[in-house]
Amino acid sequence: MHCASCAGIIEKTFKRTEGVTLAEVNYGTETARLDFDQSQISAMTLSHAIEPLGYSLVVPTPANSEAEAMGMSTEEHAAHTGLNQSKTEKLAEVDAMKKQLWVAIPIAIVAALMMTWEILVQYDVVPMMSLTMLEFFHHLLPLMATYILFVVGKPYLLGFYRFLRYGKANMDTLIGIGTVAAFLYSFTVTAWEEVLRPFINVDYQYYDVTIVVITFIALGKYLEARSKIKTGDAIEKLLNLQAKTALVKREGGEVEVAVTAVQHDDLIIIKPGAKIPVDGVVTEGQSYVDEAMVSGEPMPVAKQVGDLVVAGTINTSGSLVFRATKVGSETLLAQIIKMVAEAQGSRAPIQALADKISSIFVPIVLVIAFVTLGLWLLVGTQYLGFAQALSFGLVSFVGVLVIACPCALGLATPTAIIVGVGKGAREGILIKDAATLQKLHQVNTVVVDKTGTITQGKPTLVELQNLSDLSDDELLVILASLEAKSEHPIAQAITTYARQKNLSLVTVEEFEGLEGRGLKGLVNKQEYLVGNARLVQELSLSFEQSKLAELTAQGKTPVMIMTREKVLGLVMVADEIKPESVDAVKHLQALGIRVVMLTGDDERTAKYIGSLVGIDEVVAEVLPQDKLAKIKELQAGGRVVAMAGDGVNDAPALAQADVGIAMGTGTDVAIESAGITLLGGDMSKLVKAIRLSKLTMRGIKQNLFWAFIYNLVGIPLAAGIFYPLFGWLLNPVFAGLAMAMSSVSVVSNSLRIKAKKLS
């Protein structure tokens, strides 16, 4: 796409087409999202509808191997490239622009030197050229201008032609009208120099304006296109993470197959240094896997039998065999790419004003340009004479058309969104859409769930107290062997701890569950009981009950092992606080954000956990509907609320919050009720997400400010409004340079977001 106004015109054309229910055209990503009734209209018909505007739809075909490799629809894959073209094609296009500039720039330098020489002659800085040199350049400049206008400036001539034929104007139209006007005026003066000499000043010709303006704009478009490719690096890197093949166990051997051929339950062999092709569960071996590009975590993660592995991560050391559980579009990587692509192509509410201005900008500028020329001829002739007024009027006419570029306005928001969403993905922060990213920077209250957000979300054995003559390991073996018969989460925590210590469990006989109290069984013909304080009281065993109350208040669950004669020991099981939670809360508070914890847990436990982490407000013993009510209460008090939870029990509250944040601890990130998903469930990423939002919005506001100021100042200056006061008149050459650099500066400012640190 050549300009922001093009996006508005194309979108309006689609919306007016019968059968189209939704049309969104994004200038930043050069993509169109269309919902239409295929029984009424086809994609080809829609493409024909925009051909008068100089565009067509590039509709991907099912043969797109890269889309198939990702297990996605080809339409989604087209959005991922950001340009409806492969990166190779876009690079080839940029390379063609570069080759054109190799010819255009030397010509522009010659024209600029001629222009500068003429100016310096007026101030007696340099002598006049010899008659021979003047005559040489007098014939050379028209030839150079013709080449530049009809070869390098072909897109702008086509824009002018489409305006004359279809009445559709865009940025190319403005440049085309301005440069053609300068060229035709100069050509007319050159061809009928002696005839026109009595009426106008034939010494003023504007071939140099045509040459230098088109070259500057072409240079700006080249730099802009090159920079825009960089804004989509995140998607490109994510796509490159996908393995192309997989080594699969089949028919007693190892077979290398395309990743698209991997099926559910296939056993896949992963050697050191290999990419993991699909999601699955480890069945053999142990190793360390680099998950940095998926989760943002720099340290490789240990993997052993039973652990999850995800597509796109890299096995760093040992060999693994895993069973494929998710393939194609089901994988975590495919879901991440889909979320990032959709977010990058979405619009932030702040973009609405820029879009509205861009859509009406070109017609307004055309009117301003012709009014400017008319005023110079009507008013200027009275004070300067017709020849001088015509010369100044033409300069102002061309200057207004050239400098009035809505491209910077059109690029201001989408480029920053593309970079911001991509940066978030690299940090393990998945953003659903641009509106969510914008809203997040306004958040002043963060509501968090305790389990899975502040804490690990699963009980672990944190302490063992041995009150018997047995060794710690012997006592733990008996306890774990009994608990292995139970399916309770606390039992799983104890048996997991025993496995981690490589302890071998023993046979339990006559196992029996004791409802609400614990369990019992025979180990080596000796009866043992495992249970809570109620079971201890029931057996009338001696034990310090105040100690149990103290442990419970600290969020720990005591589990005691005993015989019918005495308590042998106890273990404490607790849902431990995540290491990053304390720092995350401090950083949120440093950003001026109030942190509220909502939990269904016991009030004493919740307040104890809250005090350890430094939470501002703790609300305990609440049901899911109570969480929803609390969110509404905070919003009614004028707070902008972000809710962070696990996306399951917290779904109503996540949906009600201004921004819902899901702590994605598994491999499924498609949590519909959340606007943001934090991979790995790391609360420190919540802080990073808010900082990213603030950083991106700051970049957007900077871009919009300079884009608006540029046009507010540039158009009046080009029109010559300051000439009567200060004698200022903007040469169209400088207008072309300013216009070209405005878009480049906006894209470059957006790219600065990449380099900023979020921690």
Side-chain angles (χ1 to χ4, degrees):
M1 271 189 189
H2 301 153
C3 71
S5 57
C6 298
I9 296 169
I10 292 169
E11 189 172 294
K12 284 181 181 177
T13 303
F14 283 143
K15 286 179 176 177
R16 285 197 297 263
T17 306
E18 189 175 353
V20 175
T21 53
L22 179 130
E24 291 180 356
V25 180
N26 191 311
Y27 173 50
T29 58
E30 299 183 17
T31 57
R33 180 190 168 201
L34 299 167
D35 290 349
F36 57 93
D37 185 347
Q38 295 187 54
S39 65
Q40 290 184 276
I41 195 169
S42 67
M44 189 61 68
T45 308
L46 287 168
S47 185
H48 289 324
I50 60 172
E51 281 178 4
L53 309 176
Y55 291 97
S56 61
L57 287 175
V58 181
V59 183
T61 64
N64 190 317
S65 59
E66 193 169 30
E68 289 177 354
M70 289 308 303
M72 291 177 241
S73 70
T74 48
E75 290 81 0
E76 288 170 354
H77 185 266
H80 301 158
T81 65
L83 298 169
N84 265 344
Q85 297 173 312
S86 69
K87 190 172 182 181
T88 303
E89 290 172 324
K90 196 62 184 175
L91 287 171
E93 186 180 314
V94 171
D95 191 53
M97 295 167 70
K98 184 179 180 181
K99 288 176 180 176
Q100 262 191 357
L101 287 169
W102 276 112
V103 179
I105 288 175
I107 293 175
I109 290 172
V110 172
L113 288 173
M114 278 292 298
M115 188 188 310
T116 305
W117 191 283
E118 289 175 1
I119 293 171
L120 294 176
V121 165
Q122 295 176 17
Y123 293 96
D124 296 325
V125 177
V126 295
M128 285 188 63
M129 286 186 184
S130 66
L131 191 60
T132 304
M133 288 295 290
L134 283 172
E135 194 67 18
F136 171 73
F137 283 113
H138 185 69
H139 290 89
L140 179 63
L141 281 174
L143 295 174
M144 293 193 301
T146 302
Y147 171 80
I148 293 293
L149 180 62
F150 288 94
V151 178
V152 182
K154 185 179 177 180
Y156 313 118
L157 289 178
L158 290 173
F160 188 15
Y161 164 75
R162 283 188 287 269
F163 172 64
L164 295 176
R165 181 170 178 180
Y166 302 109
K168 302 292 185 182
N170 59 19
M171 197 59 226
D172 291 350
T173 306
L174 299 183
I175 304 302
I177 292 173
T179 52
V180 166
F183 180 84
L184 290 179
Y185 174 85
S186 304
F187 183 81
T188 303
V189 169
T190 302
W192 292 281
E193 186 174 338
E194 295 306 320
V195 175
L196 296 172
R197 190 178 293 277
F199 306 103
I200 60 174
N201 188 345
V202 295
D203 294 330
Y204 285 103
Q205 296 172 12
Y206 300 103
Y207 291 120
D208 47 8
V209 168
T210 301
I211 293 167
V212 180
V213 164
I214 289 178
T215 302
F216 272 151
I217 292 170
L219 176 61
K221 288 292 179 187
Y222 164 72
L223 295 173
E224 178 189 317
R226 198 175 68 169
S227 297
K228 280 173 73 176
I229 289 174
K230 293 179 182 178
T231 64
D233 280 352
I235 288 288
E236 190 69 25
K237 287 178 181 177
L238 287 170
L239 283 169
N240 290 336
L241 284 176
Q242 177 63 61
K244 304 303 179 189
T245 61
L247 193 60
V248 182
K249 281 187 176 183
R250 284 186 184 166
E251 299 173 358
E254 299 177 4
V255 183
E256 187 170 17
V257 300
V259 71
T260 51
V262 176
Q263 301 173 4
H264 290 97
D265 294 327
D266 272 345
L267 290 175
I268 300 170
I269 301 164
I270 301 295
K271 296 180 179 179
K275 287 182 180 178
I276 293 171
V278 295
D279 295 357
V281 179
V282 177
T283 58
E284 296 177 35
Q286 57 183 25
S287 182
Y288 284 87
V289 175
D290 182 357
E291 299 182 339
M293 272 305 293
V294 174
S295 67
E297 299 299 332
M299 296 297 293
V301 180
K303 298 291 180 181
Q304 57 187 2
V305 175
D307 287 340
L308 297 173
V309 290
V310 296
T313 56
I314 300 172
N315 182 31
T316 61
S317 51
S319 295
L320 294 172
V321 177
F322 73 92
R323 186 179 302 279
T325 57
K326 294 185 179 181
V327 299
S329 60
E330 302 168 346
T331 66
L332 174 66
L333 180 59
Q335 291 184 57
I336 290 173
I337 292 173
K338 182 180 179 182
M339 285 186 73
V340 172
E342 288 177 351
Q344 288 186 337
S346 63
R347 293 182 182 176
I350 196 173
Q351 189 177 340
L353 178 60
D355 284 347
K356 189 172 182 179
I357 291 173
S358 295
S359 66
I360 61 172
F361 198 78
V362 172
I364 290 173
V365 169
L366 278 171
V367 171
I368 292 173
F370 281 103
V371 168
T372 297
L373 178 59
L375 287 173
W376 272 106
L377 293 176
L378 288 173
V379 180
T381 300
Q382 299 178 30
Y383 299 97
L384 303 172
F386 177 76
Q388 189 78 351
L390 176 61
S391 177
F392 284 1
L394 184 63
V395 168
S396 298
F397 175 77
V398 175
V400 168
L401 292 175
V402 169
I403 202 167
C405 173
C407 296
L409 278 176
L411 289 168
T413 301
T415 53
I417 292 294
I418 290 169
V419 176
V421 169
K423 185 178 180 68
R426 289 194 296 273
E427 295 279 354
I429 302 164
L430 303 185
I431 298 158
K432 193 172 186 179
D433 52 43
T436 299
L437 187 62
Q438 177 176 334
K439 192 68 178 178
L440 187 58
H441 94 287
Q442 300 172 325
V443 165
N444 53 29
T445 302
V446 169
V447 175
V448 295
D449 181 36
K450 180 181 77 69
T451 306
T453 304
I454 297 294
T455 63
Q456 298 285 2
K458 58 181 181 180
T460 55
L461 196 156
V462 295
E463 185 180 346
L464 184 149
Q465 291 185 14
N466 190 348
L467 307 175
S468 70
D469 297 330
L470 300 170
S471 69
D472 288 355
D473 284 354
E474 289 173 334
L475 186 66
L476 189 57
V477 165
I478 297 169
L479 175 60
S481 298
L482 287 161
E483 291 285 16
K485 298 288 186 179
S486 171
E487 294 182 354
H488 195 281
I490 289 177
Q492 292 176 10
I494 294 169
T495 54
T496 298
Y497 183 80
R499 279 200 305 270
Q500 289 171 347
K501 295 197 68 175
N502 296 317
L503 298 177
S504 300
L505 304 188
V506 295
T507 304
V508 176
E509 298 175 333
E510 298 182 21
F511 176 84
E512 182 184 345
L514 305 173
E515 188 176 352
R517 294 162 293 160
L519 49 86
K520 67 178 181 176
L522 298 180
V523 176
N524 296 327
K525 308 299 182 183
Q526 169 68 48
E527 183 185 48
Y528 294 96
L529 299 93
V530 175
N532 54 23
R534 182 178 169 187
L535 181 59
V536 173
Q537 289 175 337
E538 189 177 291
L539 295 173
S540 302
L541 299 179
S542 174
F543 194 78
E544 190 179 348
Q545 294 295 329
S546 60
K547 179 68 174 177
L548 294 181
E550 181 185 338
L551 293 171
T552 303
Q554 293 177 6
K556 297 175 182 177
T557 301
V559 178
M560 285 154 284
I561 179 169
M562 64 202 83
T563 63
R564 291 190 178 274
E565 290 76 34
K566 64 176 181 176
V567 175
L568 301 177
L570 72 157
V571 293
M572 267 72 81
V573 176
D575 185 4
E576 288 192 294
I577 294 171
K578 291 181 180 179
E580 67 274 6
S581 293
V582 177
D583 285 340
V585 170
K586 286 180 181 177
H587 289 311
L588 287 171
Q589 291 166 339
L591 290 170
I593 295 171
R594 180 176 177 80
V595 183
V596 178
M597 185 173 81
L598 298 183
T599 178
D601 282 1
D602 174 78
E603 186 173 2
R604 290 181 302 169
T605 301
K607 288 188 174 179
Y608 178 77
I609 296 293
S611 66
L612 292 179
V613 181
I615 301 288
D616 294 306
E617 180 183 353
V618 175
V619 182
E621 299 177 5
V622 293
L623 298 172
Q625 57 267 34
D626 298 325
K627 292 183 180 181
L628 179 63
K630 181 63 178 180
I631 298 290
K632 289 181 177 179
E633 178 190 322
L634 289 167
Q635 290 171 328
R639 311 296 291 182
V640 180
V641 182
M643 168 72 186
D646 60 14
V648 182
N649 296 327
D650 300 319
L654 286 171
Q656 175 63 36
D658 296 288
V659 179
I661 301 170
M663 310 299 285
T665 53
T667 59
D668 185 6
V669 297
I671 302 172
E672 293 299 324
S673 54
I676 292 175
T677 301
L678 306 180
L679 294 181
D682 186 344
M683 194 171 167
S684 65
K685 289 178 184 172
L686 174 55
V687 182
K688 288 183 178 181
I690 293 172
R691 285 177 175 157
L692 176 64
S693 175
K694 292 180 181 293
L695 185 64
T696 305
M697 290 308 301
R698 190 181 307 127
I700 290 172
K701 289 174 181 177
Q702 289 169 349
N703 289 346
L704 288 173
F705 172 80
W706 289 113
F708 276 117
I709 291 296
Y710 162 82
N711 282 296
L712 286 172
V713 174
I715 292 175
L717 182 60
I721 198 169
F722 298 113
Y723 183 81
L725 298 173
F726 309 107
W728 295 349
L729 198 62
L730 185 66
N731 190 306
V733 168
F734 294 107
L737 176 62
M739 175 236 166
M741 291 303 104
S742 66
S743 295
V744 176
S745 63
V746 162
V747 178
S748 300
N749 189 52
S750 296
L751 284 170
R752 287 175 59 242
I753 297 171
K754 276 187 179 182
K756 298 289 186 180
K757 291 185 178 181
L758 300 180
S759 55

